[in-house]
């Protein structure tokens, strides 16, 4: 259907409604389409022909020219009035002038038409105004004429002095002019009005034209009544002409209206009008005029003239008719051709319609027309089938809603109404056929205008989509099933949006993690992963289009536990757009745990193998070593090379007979080749160091569960010992034979089996005599019960060791023996008897006590010695020692005398066994007095025995104490006597040799210990004294510095202050010289102050005890620079080539050094040079050299050592400020830090000061020494 | 008022000069040894008359003094309940850290190294007394409140 269109046409545009091309006859049966045409309307659709356009242009031009001419003429007339030029107001001097009012009204009309033609719409209001003004002039005059009342308007502009020939009042416009002007004015106003009123315009124009023509005609033919009757026809020629022109202009200005329109129409009428009109108007007038002229000239008389006139007229009209006929014929031809074309296009349309009809009839879709109320107007065959109707009649007039399923009826009704209101719609609905079948339909409704009623009807094209719908429903069901399946799946499943939010998760996943749907869905997936990098990686991979299979991750359960899961995931993409991920999550926690357990098992197995004392290794099926334990390394004496070694871990192999055994023939190789465990082989392995090991291999092939050979394990058992044992047993037999101990063996019943020669000697029985007899024979009757116990223990596998008892010789004599009885086993390990080693210990027993005593004393000695040597206070040890010794010696009394300090006698140091008052009486002994004095004098020990019964004179004193025996030893170290040590007993008559020996040794020990004690004391005293003196010196030094800092500077300060006050208060009374002296005092004192300060710093550095620590030299430099304005920009540039390496040193001192060096470096620059210092560090071995390179004046090499000396200055005082101590302090401080300082300079281009210190690095040993 | 404990005449002169320069017009009482300082602060001996010898608002204390050192005086002041709030400024020639640390630990409020400069004194009086010294000397034991 075409949509209505508007298009402008004509000079004053109008709207033309275009109808539809296809009209539909809705009253006929199956849909039929018919073209509905309107020829006229159709023509309007075509663009205007060229002639029409030209005509319009011409009309417009005519209008403009006419109006212009009229305007000019009117204005000249007015001018004539104002300029009093009668010729201009009365062209042909008939004394009927065109009055000013007429001229004015004409000018207004002319101007109105001109403006309208030129500017059309924009001047609409002005045009109306002008026309109205002119109309009012005309109308007023007309009123005057009709009523006879003089309104006074006639002479308003001009009072004419002539023109009285045909007027009713002076200067009054004539009736024709006033009427014409009124009509023209109304015509112009109407032309601007609506279409219906506009139709009056041509009528008005033509009336005016006619009236004016009449007047002009009058003038032409001198017919006075036509222009000179004052009350009726009075009009000047020029007024008639001007108004005629104006009427023409008005007529052509409405060229779109009849009759002018006909003039340009391509029709017979148009052609006729165009051709005949000019002649019809002009020919009679011209001929009439010629006729008059000829009469006046008396060329012919009236009869001839009339005849000629008629003749000419007839001829002219015949000619005109002939021309018109020709034109009409031509036009007829054109019409015929266009009719033919029309017919052809009609035929084409008919064909198209038929095609369309056929198409509609044959289309598988239902095409129907439905009225707004739902009445079915038409329906095609497919539609009939669809609704299960037998014929068209069955559906026509039926309501379409009846065949719509009830649930869709309302929807369809609304849709139908919308379509019938002009919109297009699509609807899916269910249709219930006349036979009750339900089908899914999709209808496309379009509005269609009914040709008959002009109302919109609903053209419905309906398609059976039952199959598609079923498919859709099926799909939906399948989707639901899938969703259900996924929901119920045992595997956890979720979907995640592009931004990582969980969109959906199935129950299995929720169950797995323990969350409810609300807690899980809608949350970011990252919340539930234990490892953020893992999930981020997953999302990144998925976004990149990767599919993940078996991605391992760990997720957080609600109960806080972590589950190991395996994720299979991919992204659902649609048209390249990320829809969501779908992610299968399998809980593999148990699996992992099992795996870990397996791994643990394997590790335990490995550990087990590793821990096995025997060499164990494994190989793969090809015999390559795959694993071995430490014992294997020890066994083979080498570390087997995994991947290259085969068959055996050993270096070289030999058969027991010494022949070489190649590795690929070793039992392991055989076991692998034969696939069975081999046992019973022996071989010898040689280690790289040449030692050999006898061993037994136990190769066992390993099979997997399918029985395939996968490798083998071998254990190498060292049988060197067994071999040795075998060899030894032979030797043993010999030993037994030749043993000095009796060696007897017996069975479990006590029957003697073997009997060696020593047994013969000890017991007196020969082997022949005793073998086969019971062991009881050798046991004295009262001890025979022992045998039962011995046999019991032997049977239970126990040994009887050093069982001391008594046995009986053949001669009946008894003797002490020590028995060692061991069970004897056969090769199967069963106990079959006992071997008995029997030793005669009669002698030994006697010695045993003595030995025991000796051993104890030795132990005591060694302990004591250790104590004495290790003790920090041996004196206390000695005090503890003496009672113990007394106990061991069986002594009840002891004395310890020491040489007294002046060395003149002995002083009792420790004692026991005598009362205190007695002890006081013998506290001091002279050398030579009593036994101790004698011992001290002679430096020899004295042993007095049986004192009470002898009269050894020196023993007088000890005899008085009731002592029986007395042993005194000197305590001597080298030649030096320290004192004496005596032990005595009231019960023992004497000390034996061993006691004395013991006493002697212990005395020596004690002497040495006491000596050590004394030396240590001496040393300590010395150190303490020295420390005291050092501390004193240090304190004095401190005191000195303190004094220097306080007192030395007092006078200086006073000097400076007085000088300042002097300058301040008396400065104006001094001349310049005096003031100069005072400032010299100030400068000197200031300099002295600085010197004092620097000396103080130096002394502090020199005497300080430095604690070493790791120093961040960069920080130190930064601090120093921060504290000194002259080191900062803009005064100077300090550049640090970072990083500087940390050094060992003392922070305070190093800070002082850096400060001095930097201040020194920026100080010595040439005038006008900005100081620059670059600090860098170089490490050489354990030393770090820090270099301070400046751009100063440099130091000549010959002066370089001097700068470090105190008070050395290389420049005269005043040139560069300074005390000459700064660098001395640096050198001292650095030397105290065990470093070095130095200078590099060529004497002109700057100086490099460097300090070298130990680098800070972890050194456990060195650090302790600092 | 100010109590200056100083044994050196020169330093007394310098101090007076600096005070003058700082336009501090308070009365300055000078004692020349540690014992005198103690007597003055305790109001005993010839300083028994508190009207003639009022308690100072600020004490400038040298460290090296005859009889008693500055440190001893500081320690003593700490034991006197009536003098706890008094502002004591150590004024000494020693710039050594150990002296400085010890002085502060014994309750010195500030530590000046000789020679005193007018600027330092102005700052000191501003921060501790807030110009209080220009007013009539207080007789109670209260020094300035801690700021």
């Amino acid at each position: 259907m075409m949509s209505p269109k508007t298009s402008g046409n004509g000079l004053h545009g109008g709207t033309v409604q275009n109808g539809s091309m296809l009209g539909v006859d809705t009253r006929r049966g199956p849909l039929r389409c018919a073209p509905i045409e309107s020829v006229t309307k159709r023509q309007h659709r075509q663009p205007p022909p060229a002639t029409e356009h030209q005509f319009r242009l011409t009309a417009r031009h005519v209008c403009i020219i006419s109006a212009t001419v009229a305007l000019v003429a009117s204005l000249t007339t007015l001018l004539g009035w104002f300029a009093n030029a009668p010729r201009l107001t009365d062209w042909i001097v008939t004394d009927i002038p065109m009055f000013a009012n007429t001229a004015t009204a004409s000018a207004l009309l002319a101007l109105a038409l001109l403006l309208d033609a030129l500017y059309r719409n924009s001047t609409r209001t002005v045009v109306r105004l002008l026309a109205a003004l002119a109309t009012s002039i005309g109308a007023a005059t007309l009123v005057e004429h009709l009523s006879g009342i003089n309104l006074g308007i006639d002479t308003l502009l001009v009072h004419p002095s002539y023109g009285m020939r045909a007027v009713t009042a002076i200067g009054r416009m004539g009736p024709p002019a006033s009427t014409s002007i009124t009509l023209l004015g109304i015509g112009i106003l109407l032309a601007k009005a609506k279409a219906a009123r506009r139709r009056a315009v041509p009528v008005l124009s033509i009336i005016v034209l006619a009236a004016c023509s009449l007047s002009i005609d009058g003038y032409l033919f001198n017919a006075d009544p036509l222009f000179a009757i004052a009350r009726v026809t009075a009009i000047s020629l020029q007024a008639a002409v001007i108004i005629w022109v104006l009427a023409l202009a008005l007529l052509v200005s409405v060229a779109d209206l009849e009759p002018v329109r006909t003039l340009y129409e391509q029709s017979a009428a148009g052609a006729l009008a165009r051709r005949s009109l000019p002649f019809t108007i002009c020919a009679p007038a011209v001929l009439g005029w010629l006729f008059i002229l000829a009469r006046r000239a008396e060329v012919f008389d009236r009869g001839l003239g009339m005849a000629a006139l008629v003749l000419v007229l007839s001829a002219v009209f015949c000619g005109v008719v002939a021309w018109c006929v020709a034109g009409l014929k031509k036009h007829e031809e054109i019409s015929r051709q266009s009719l033919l074309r029309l017919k052809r296009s009609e035929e084409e349309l008919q064909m198209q319609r038929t095609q369309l009809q056929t198409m509609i009839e044959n289309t598988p879709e239902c095409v129907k027309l439905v009225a707004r109320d739902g009445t079915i107007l038409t329906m095609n065959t497919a539609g009939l089938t669809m609704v299960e109707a037998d014929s068209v009649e069955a559906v026509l007039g039926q309501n379409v809603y009846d065949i719509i399923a009830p649930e869709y009826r309302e929807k369809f009704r609304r849709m139908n109404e919308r379509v019938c209101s002009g919109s297009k719609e699509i609807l899916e609905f269910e249709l219930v056929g006349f036979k009750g079948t339900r089908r899914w339909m999709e209808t496309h409704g379009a509005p269609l205008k009914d040709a008959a009623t002009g109302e919109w009807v609903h053209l419905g094209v309906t398609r059976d989509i039952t199959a598609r719908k079923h498919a859709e429903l099926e799909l939906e069901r399948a989707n639901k099933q899938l969703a259900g399946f996924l929901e119920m799946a045992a595997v956890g499943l979720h979907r995640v949006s592009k931004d990582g939010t969980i969109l959906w998760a199935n129950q299995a996943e929720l169950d797995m993690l323990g969350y409810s749907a609300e807690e899980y869905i809608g949350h970011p997936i990252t919340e539930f992963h234990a490892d953020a990098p893992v999930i981020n990686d997953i999302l990144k991979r998925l976004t990149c289009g990767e599919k993940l299979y078996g991605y391992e991750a760990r997720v957080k359960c609600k109960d806080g536990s972590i589950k190991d899961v395996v994720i299979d995931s991919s992204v659902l993409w649609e048209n390249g757009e990320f829809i969501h991920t779908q992610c299968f999550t399998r809980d593999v926690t148990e699996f992992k745990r099992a795996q870990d357990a397996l791994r643990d098992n394997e590790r335990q197995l490995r550990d087990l193998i590793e821990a096995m004392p025997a060499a164990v290794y494994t190989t793969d099926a090809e015999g390559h070593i795959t694993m071995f334990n430490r014992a294997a390394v020890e066994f083979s004496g080498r570390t087997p090379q995994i991947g290259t070694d085969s068959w055996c871990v050993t270096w070289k192999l030999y058969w027991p007979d010494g022949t070489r055994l190649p590795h690929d023939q070793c039992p392991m190789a055989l076991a692998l080749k034969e696939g069975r465990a081999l046992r019973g082989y022996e071989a010898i392995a040689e280690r790289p160091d040449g030692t050999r090991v006898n061993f037994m291999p136990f190769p066992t092939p390993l099979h997997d569960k399918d029985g395939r050979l996968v490798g083998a394990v071998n254990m190498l058992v060292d049988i060197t010992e067994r071999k040795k044992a075998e060899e030894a047993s032979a030797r043993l037999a010999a030993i037994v034979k030749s043993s000095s101990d009796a060696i007897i063996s017996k069975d479990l019943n006590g029957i003697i089996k073997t009997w060696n020669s020593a047994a013969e000697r000890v017991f007196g029985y020969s082997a022949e005599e005793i073998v086969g007899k019971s062991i009881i024979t050798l046991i004295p009757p009262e001890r025979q019960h022992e045998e039962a116990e011995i046999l019991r223990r032997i049977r239970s596998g126990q040994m009887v060791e050093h069982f001391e008892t008594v046995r009986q010789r053949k001669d009946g004599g008894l003797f002490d023996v020590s028995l060692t009885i061991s069970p004897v086993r056969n090769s199967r390990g069963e106990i079959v008897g006992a071997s008995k080693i029997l030793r005669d210990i009669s002698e030994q027993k006697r010695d045993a006590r003595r030995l025991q005593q000796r051993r104890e004393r030795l132990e005591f000695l060694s302990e004591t010695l250790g104590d004495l040597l290790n003790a920090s206070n041996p004196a206390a040890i000695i005090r503890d020692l003496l009672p113990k010794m007394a106990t061991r010696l069986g002594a009840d009394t002891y004395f310890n005398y020491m040489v007294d300090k002046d060395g003149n006698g002995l002083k009792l140091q420790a004692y026991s066994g005598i009362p205190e008052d007695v002890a006081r009486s013998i506290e001091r002994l002279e050398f030579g007095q009593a036994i101790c004095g004698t011992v001290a004098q002679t430096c020899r020990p004295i042993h007095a025995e049986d004192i009470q019964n002898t009269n050894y004179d020196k023993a007088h004193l000890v005899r008085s104490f009731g002592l029986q025996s007395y042993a005194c030893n000197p305590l001597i170290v080298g030649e030096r006597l320290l004192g004496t040590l005596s032990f005595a007993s009231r019960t023992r008559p004497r000390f034996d040799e061993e006691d004395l020996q013991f006493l002697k040794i212990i005395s020596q020990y004690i002497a040495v210990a006491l000596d050590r004690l004394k030396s240590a004391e001496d040393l300590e005293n010395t150190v303490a004294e020295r420390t005291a003196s050092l501390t004193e010196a240090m304190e004095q030094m401190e005191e000195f510095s303190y004094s220097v800092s306080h007192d030395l500077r007092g006078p200086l300060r006073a000097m400076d202050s007085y000088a300042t006050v002097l300058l301040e208060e008396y400065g104006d009374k001094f001349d310049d010289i005096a003031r100069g002296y005072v400032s010299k005092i100030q400068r000197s004192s200031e300099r002295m102050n600085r010197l004092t300060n620097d000396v103080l710093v130096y002394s502090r550095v020199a005497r300080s005890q430095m604690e070493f620590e790791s120093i961040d030299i960069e920080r130190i430099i930064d601090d120093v620079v921060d504290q000194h304005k002259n080191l900062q920009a803009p005064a100077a540039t300090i550049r640090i080539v970072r990083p500087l390496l940390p050094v060992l040193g003392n922070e305070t001192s190093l800070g002082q050094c850096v400060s001095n060096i930097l201040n020194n470096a920026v100080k010595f620059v040439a005038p006008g040079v900005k100081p620059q210092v670059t600090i860098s560090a170089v490490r050489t071995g354990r030393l770090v050299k820090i270099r301070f390179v400046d751009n100063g004046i440099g130091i000549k090499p010959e002066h370089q050592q001097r700068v470090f000396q105190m008070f050395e200055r290389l420049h005269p005082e005043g040139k560069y400020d300074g005390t000459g101590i700064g660098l001395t302090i640096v050198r001292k401080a650095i030397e105290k830090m065990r470093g070095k300082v130095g200078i590099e300079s060529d004497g002109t281009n700057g100086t490099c000061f460097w300090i070298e210190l130990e680098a800070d690095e972890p050194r456990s040993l060195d650090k302790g020494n600092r | 008022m100010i109590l200056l404990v100083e044994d050196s005449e020169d330093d007394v002169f310098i101090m007076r000069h600096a005070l003058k320069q700082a336009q501090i017009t308070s009365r300055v009482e000078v004692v020349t040894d540690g014992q005198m300082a103690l007597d003055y602060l305790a109001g005993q001996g010839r300083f028994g008359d508190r009207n003639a010898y009022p308690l100072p608002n600020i004490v400038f204390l040298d460290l090296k003094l005859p009889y008693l050192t500055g440190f001893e005086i500081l320690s003593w002041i700490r034991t006197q309940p009536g003098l706890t709030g008094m502002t004591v400024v150590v004024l000494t020639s020693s710039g050594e850290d150990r002296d400085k640390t010890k002085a502060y630990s014994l309750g010195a409020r500030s530590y000046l190294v000789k020679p005193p400069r007018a600027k330092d004194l102005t700052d000191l009086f501003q921060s501790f007394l807030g110009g209080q010294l220009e007013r009539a000397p207080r007789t109670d034991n209260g020094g300035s409140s801690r700021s």
Side-chain angles (χ1 to χ4, degrees), chain B residues 27-100:
Chain B
R27 173 180 158 193
V28 179
E29 197 66 43
V30 179
V31 289
T32 54
D33 65 51
Q35 188 54 52
M36 269 170 81
L38 221 73
D39 289 348
Y40 186 104
L41 292 172
Q44 59 191 21
R46 66 184 177 92
F47 301 107
D49 182 1
R50 264 280 180 255
N51 289 327
Y53 302 105
L55 269 179
N57 302 67
I58 188 161
V59 179
F60 286 94
L61 182 64
D62 193 6
L63 290 179
K64 279 197 86 179
L65 291 165
Y67 309 129
L68 287 168
T69 67
F71 291 131
E72 285 168 311
I73 295 171
L74 273 171
S75 312
W76 176 81
I77 288 173
R78 284 232 289 199
T79 64
Q80 301 299 304
L83 299 176
T84 46
M86 186 148 63
T87 305
V88 182
V89 176
V90 169
L91 177 64
T92 175
S93 51
S94 160
E96 300 210 10
D97 284 342
R98 54 172 183 164
D99 284 346
K100 213 177 267 189

Side-chain angles (χ1 to χ4, degrees), chain B residues 5-25:
Chain B
V5 187
E6 177 61 71
D7 59 333
S8 153
E9 257 179 64
D10 294 333
D11 283 339
V12 171
F13 172 81
I14 294 165
M15 181 63 178
R16 282 190 191 278
H17 186 71
L19 285 169
K20 201 168 97 190
Q21 276 190 324
Q23 297 179 323
I24 294 164
T25 55

Side-chain angles (χ1 to χ4, degrees), chain A residues 924-1189:
Chain A
R924 241 190 97 79
L925 287 180
E926 298 302 323
F927 289 127
Q929 183 188 358
I931 295 178
C932 291
T934 311
V935 167
Q937 198 172 40
T938 59
C939 287
R940 300 184 77 83
I942 291 176
H943 175 221
E945 302 178 0
D946 202 6
I947 294 165
Q948 299 299 331
N949 302 322
T950 56
N951 47 4
Y952 176 46
D953 59 340
K954 297 282 182 189
H956 173 71
L957 184 63
V958 294
R959 195 177 297 128
S960 68
F961 299 151
L963 298 170
Q964 284 268 17
S965 52
Y966 193 94
C968 181
N969 276 282
L971 301 171
I972 302 172
V973 175
E975 300 287 297
R976 204 150 47 85
L977 175 80
L978 302 178
T980 64
L981 180 62
S982 340
F983 288 91
S985 171
R986 290 186 171 83
T987 50
R988 289 184 66 176
R990 66 183 65 78
F991 294 107
D992 62 21
E993 203 52 41
E994 289 207 357
D995 292 338
L996 294 176
Q997 193 63 33
F998 173 59
L999 203 53
K1000 193 176 164 189
I1001 291 169
I1002 204 92
S1003 300
Q1004 282 171 1
Y1005 283 0
I1006 288 173
V1008 170
L1010 285 174
D1011 183 48
R1012 187 168 75 85
L1013 183 68
K1014 199 160 177 302
S1015 320
E1017 270 171 11
D1018 290 350
L1019 187 64
E1020 257 169 48
N1021 287 340
T1022 315
V1023 169
E1025 277 165 25
R1026 284 186 193 163
T1027 310
S1029 70
L1030 263 175
T1031 311
E1032 198 184 343
M1034 197 63 89
E1035 276 167 1
Q1036 281 168 359
M1037 188 67 191
E1038 287 278 320
E1039 197 47 46
F1040 169 73
S1041 318
Y1042 194 69
S1043 299
V1044 167
S1045 82
H1046 283 75
D1047 304 336
L1048 214 55
R1049 294 201 296 171
L1052 267 179
R1053 195 165 56 242
M1055 214 156 93
D1056 183 48
S1057 300
Y1058 281 120
T1060 308
V1061 174
L1062 202 56
L1063 264 190
E1064 279 172 6
E1065 294 183 2
Y1066 301 94
D1068 49 349
K1069 293 177 186 158
F1070 288 174
D1071 60 9
D1072 286 348
I1073 298 172
R1075 276 197 294 275
Y1077 289 160
V1078 176
S1079 17
K1080 272 191 200 300
I1081 295 173
Q1082 281 181 308
R1083 278 207 298 281
S1084 294
S1085 64
E1086 192 189 321
R1087 187 170 149 66
M1088 183 64 195
N1089 194 33
R1090 274 213 308 279
L1091 273 165
T1092 319
N1093 261 339
D1094 282 354
V1095 170
L1096 267 175
V1097 170
Y1098 179 82
S1099 78
R1100 202 181 297 141
V1101 167
R1103 71 176 190 270
S1104 67
Q1105 290 194 335
M1106 288 188 182
E1107 302 212 334
F1108 280 51
E1109 58 198 321
S1110 174
I1111 308 271
D1112 177 1
I1113 193 92
E1114 286 182 25
R1115 188 179 55 73
I1116 296 233
I1117 293 171
D1118 289 342
D1119 288 353
V1120 168
V1121 172
D1122 277 349
Q1123 286 159 12
H1124 293 81
K1125 262 258 146 51
N1126 59 330
L1127 298 180
Q1128 297 166 7
T1133 310
I1134 309 290
R1135 200 169 69 81
I1136 305 177
V1137 183
R1138 292 173 203 268
L1140 300 179
L1141 303 161
V1143 295
L1144 279 174
N1146 178 274
E1147 176 149 356
T1148 318
S1149 300
L1150 202 51
Q1152 185 77 51
C1153 291
V1154 168
S1155 169
N1156 288 6
I1157 291 174
L1158 285 177
N1159 277 306
N1160 202 66
V1162 300
K1163 197 193 291 172
F1164 296 100
V1165 287
V1169 173
K1170 182 181 178 183
Q1172 283 186 346
V1173 186
T1174 303
I1175 306 166
S1176 57
V1178 179
R1179 177 161 176 176
T1180 325
R1182 286 168 50 177
L1183 297 173
V1184 173
K1185 187 186 259 187
I1186 301 155
R1187 295 162 58 86
F1188 299 76
V1189 180

Side-chain angles (χ1 to χ4, degrees), chain A residues 149-226:
Chain A
I149 302 165
N150 190 341
L151 292 174
I153 56 168
D154 307 327
T155 52
L156 205 63
L157 291 168
V158 178
H159 200 285
S161 52
Y162 56 94
M164 306 301 166
R165 185 180 158 196
V167 288
T168 50
I170 189 153
R172 183 175 292 175
M173 197 191 307
S178 56
T179 312
S180 300
I181 281 170
T182 306
L183 294 178
L184 285 178
I186 291 169
I188 291 171
L189 288 171
L190 289 178
K192 297 273 125 199
K194 284 179 189 163
R197 294 188 187 170
R198 282 179 76 234
R199 278 183 215 138
V201 178
V203 179
L204 293 174
S205 312
I206 289 164
I207 290 170
V208 175
L209 274 174
C212 292
S213 296
L214 196 67
S215 305
I216 293 166
D217 213 23
Y219 276 108
L220 268 180
F221 299 106
N222 271 333
D224 285 4
L226 290 181

Side-chain angles (χ1 to χ4, degrees), chain A residues 867-916:
Chain A
D867 289 349
L868 284 172
L869 289 180
N870 291 328
S872 59
N873 185 2
I877 302 279
I878 290 167
R879 272 197 297 279
D880 293 345
L881 188 63
L882 296 180
K884 283 188 210 160
M885 279 187 63
T887 314
R888 285 194 191 283
L889 289 167
D892 40 42
T893 308
Y894 60 81
F895 305 99
N896 170 216
Y897 280 95
M898 297 300 287
V899 177
D900 62 12
K901 263 189 185 161
D902 43 17
N904 292 333
L906 295 171
K907 190 167 177 291
L908 186 60
Q909 202 75 26
Y911 67 95
S912 174
I914 51 169
E916 208 177 315

Side-chain angles (χ1 to χ4, degrees), chain A residues 467-523:
Chain A
R468 194 190 84 192
K469 201 73 192 178
H470 281 165
E472 271 177 18
L473 286 171
E474 187 63 26
L475 187 67
E476 199 175 315
R477 199 174 55 78
N479 272 340
K480 270 186 191 157
Q481 274 179 355
L482 182 65
F485 171 70
L486 294 178
E487 187 63 44
M488 301 307 293
V491 170
L493 180 53
H494 67 253
R495 294 186 187 130
V496 171
S497 70
K498 193 179 184 182
D499 63 0
T501 309
I502 300 169
L503 297 174
W504 172 85
N506 70 352
Q507 196 55 43
E509 176 135 341
L510 295 175
D511 291 346
M512 181 168 84
L513 301 179
Y515 294 102
S516 71
E518 292 75 37
E519 289 166 334
Y520 196 63
I521 294 165
H523 289 260

